[in-house]
Amino acid sequence: MKYYIIAGEASGDLHGSNLMKALKKKDADAAFRFWGGDLMKEQGGTLVKHYRDLAFMGFLEVAVNLRTILNNIKFCKEDIKNNMPDVLILVDYPGFNLRIAKFAKELGIKVVYYISPQLWAWKEGRVETIKKYVDEMMVILPFEEDFYKKHGVHSHFVGHPLLDAISNLQLVSSDDFKKDNGLNEKEIIALLPGSRKQEVEKMLEIMLSVRPYFKNYQFVIAGAPSLPRDFYQKYVDENVHFVSNKTYDLLRSSKAALVTSGTATLETALLNIPEVVCYRGSKISYAIAKRLVKNIKYISLVNLIMDREVVTELIQNDLTTKNLVDELNKVLEGEKREHILNDYESLRAKLGGKGASENAADIILKI
């Protein structure tokens, strides 16, 4: 079969690549054309556009880049029409993907949504678009099945693909990681500032402001694969290091982490590393988001899945050096650290067993 997959962010690239791997096992004639990144490219097929050219963060940034986004949508429609795949697989990225779903459905192409947009947080009305134009909806968070059922949409909870991604890793020891990356013997505090340039610039400045208070630790920045190494050089010194494409090895070798909200908060938890979740957007984007997001108490996936505060979230004006220092001290040693590690066990149980990519591949092949 011919598969056309659209993933617009780094996390989508990871999950898309594992889905491609599962599809290849079950379909010897699988041919892929996709929007994604380097991980999907490793699975073979044709990379149409890299997600680094698609990712715009926040309402203001989207408005500034609207012409580019509209041109990408037009190009994508033309590419799908010229290649006529058997199935279109959409990975999150709703602003773009829901427009493409309508177009593909009208062409008679089967449409599958793998990894639901977070419609339970905002833009709930998009469920109607999914009803009309999506043949199969697959969700990876346990509460999402009930959300869609409430709206009369049948969905499949396939499990969370991060469980597969992490369980399949061959991770190095902490000592080997330090040696291989030129690090000293101090314990590590990992910094995960995000994957978009404007996001990283905002987050690293405040994250690194805690350095004078933790002189017995070394800080290591997890570089985004979509950003060049030289972009990070201005942040590096004798006690701040940088690694690229080694985020999981870094986390497993760390004592704690400061993490920008997003998929990385869940990755950090599944690797059993206590964390402090950070977020700061532009004032305009944050003000708009506050008006649009309804009934959501948390921004991190860890807290959303558990429906209570497991990890501390420092958002916008609460993201200060003082608050970061206080919370980081709590997760490095003591009672709060132990509570977090215990809660992580419950989190893994809630996410179900392994096999999300295999389950998703089976559903796709059935249609």
Side-chain angles (χ1 to χ4, degrees):
M1 284 208 306
K2 295 196 313 187
Y3 304 89
Y4 199 106
I5 307 175
I6 304 175
E9 298 177 305
S11 59
D13 180 38
L14 171 65
H15 302 323
S17 68
N18 285 326
L19 178 61
M20 290 166 73
K21 196 183 299 181
L23 285 167
K24 287 196 296 185
K25 284 183 194 172
K26 299 170 186 290
D27 178 5
D29 298 320
F32 299 103
R33 192 169 180 87
F34 57 91
W35 296 45
D38 298 337
L39 295 175
M40 293 173 75
K41 191 175 179 182
E42 286 173 11
Q43 294 303 316
T46 302
L47 174 62
V48 180
K49 268 192 185 284
H50 200 288
Y51 69 77
R52 72 168 70 95
D53 301 321
L54 308 175
F56 301 106
M57 173 189 150
F59 300 96
L60 182 61
E61 294 79 6
V62 167
V64 169
N65 292 283
L66 188 57
R67 178 172 290 185
T68 300
I69 294 167
L70 293 175
N71 285 339
N72 283 336
I73 290 171
K74 181 181 177 184
F75 175 75
C76 184
K77 288 178 177 179
E78 290 171 354
D79 195 57
I80 288 171
K81 191 172 184 179
N82 290 338
N83 289 278
M84 287 303 291
D86 296 299
V87 61
L88 171 67
I89 302 169
L90 307 171
V91 185
D92 199 356
Y93 200 50
F96 189 97
N97 276 338
L98 287 175
R99 288 174 171 82
I100 302 302
K102 179 177 186 294
F103 176 79
K105 187 69 175 173
E106 289 170 350
L107 287 178
I109 297 167
K110 292 286 186 183
V111 179
V112 172
Y113 221 120
Y114 177 52
I115 304 180
S116 167
Q118 294 178 353
L119 304 185
W120 35 265
W122 71 305
K123 293 198 174 180
E124 198 166 322
R126 284 174 164 174
V127 173
E128 294 305 312
T129 304
I130 286 169
K131 261 188 190 177
K132 287 181 186 176
Y133 305 118
V134 174
D135 295 291
E136 293 287 351
M137 168 58 72
M138 290 177 279
V139 300
I140 63 171
L141 299 175
F143 60 80
E144 289 178 323
E145 247 185 339
D146 289 336
F147 169 81
Y148 278 106
K149 187 177 180 181
K150 180 182 78 174
H151 288 281
V153 176
H154 177 68
S155 64
H156 304 267
F157 173 56
V158 294
H160 204 292
L162 277 180
L163 291 169
D164 298 330
I166 287 170
S167 67
N168 293 333
L169 290 175
Q170 297 294 318
L171 296 173
V172 301
S173 70
S174 177
D175 288 342
D176 286 342
F177 177 78
K178 289 176 180 177
K179 183 179 176 183
D180 293 344
N181 292 280
L183 306 179
N184 57 49
E185 293 304 310
K186 291 179 181 178
E187 288 189 295
I188 295 170
I189 295 173
L191 305 180
L192 279 65
S195 59
R196 304 174 182 94
K197 184 178 178 182
Q198 67 225 39
E199 179 180 49
V200 173
E201 286 174 333
K202 271 194 184 86
M203 300 311 300
L204 270 181
E205 182 179 352
I206 184 66
M207 286 177 172
L208 287 171
S209 71
V210 305
R211 280 180 301 170
Y213 303 91
F214 297 95
K215 292 180 179 177
N216 292 328
Y217 292 87
Q218 59 185 321
F219 293 82
V220 183
I221 301 166
S226 56
L227 295 175
R229 177 177 285 268
D230 58 11
F231 168 76
Y232 294 92
Q233 287 310 304
K234 61 187 173 185
Y235 302 105
V236 174
D237 60 29
E238 68 278 357
N239 205 38
V240 178
H241 308 274
F242 167 83
V243 297
S244 185
N245 294 319
K246 297 177 183 178
T247 301
Y248 288 171
D249 284 331
L250 165 61
L251 284 170
R252 283 295 295 270
S253 302
S254 299
K255 186 75 180 288
L258 302 181
V259 186
T260 299
S261 64
T263 305
T265 63
L266 185 56
E267 291 173 308
T268 303
L270 293 178
L271 286 164
N272 221 34
I273 306 303
E275 63 185 301
V276 180
V277 176
C278 311
Y279 176 78
R280 181 184 286 168
S282 72
K283 289 182 180 178
I284 294 173
S285 290
Y286 184 70
I288 296 170
K290 284 274 284 184
R291 284 178 169 272
L292 293 176
V293 175
K294 300 174 182 176
N295 304 317
I296 299 298
K297 294 180 284 186
Y298 308 109
I299 63 167
S300 70
L301 283 171
V302 177
N303 292 343
L304 282 166
I305 294 165
M306 295 295 286
D307 196 26
R308 59 186 172 86
E309 185 180 280
V310 171
V311 295
T312 298
E313 300 177 351
L314 297 178
I315 306 169
Q316 211 67 5
N317 293 334
D318 288 335
L319 183 58
T320 64
T321 301
K322 181 184 183 304
N323 288 344
L324 269 177
V325 170
D326 289 346
E327 294 302 327
L328 191 49
N329 273 317
K330 290 175 188 174
V331 301
L332 284 168
E333 302 288 347
E335 191 176 318
K336 178 155 188 176
R337 180 181 179 87
E338 294 309 312
H339 284 319
I340 289 174
L341 293 173
N342 288 334
D343 284 336
Y344 282 173
E345 289 185 29
S346 302
L347 174 71
R348 282 188 284 273
K350 273 201 168 194
L351 288 173
K354 294 178 284 185
S357 303
E358 299 281 338
N359 294 337
D362 286 337
I363 292 166
I364 291 166
L365 288 166
K366 276 180 187 173
I367 70 161

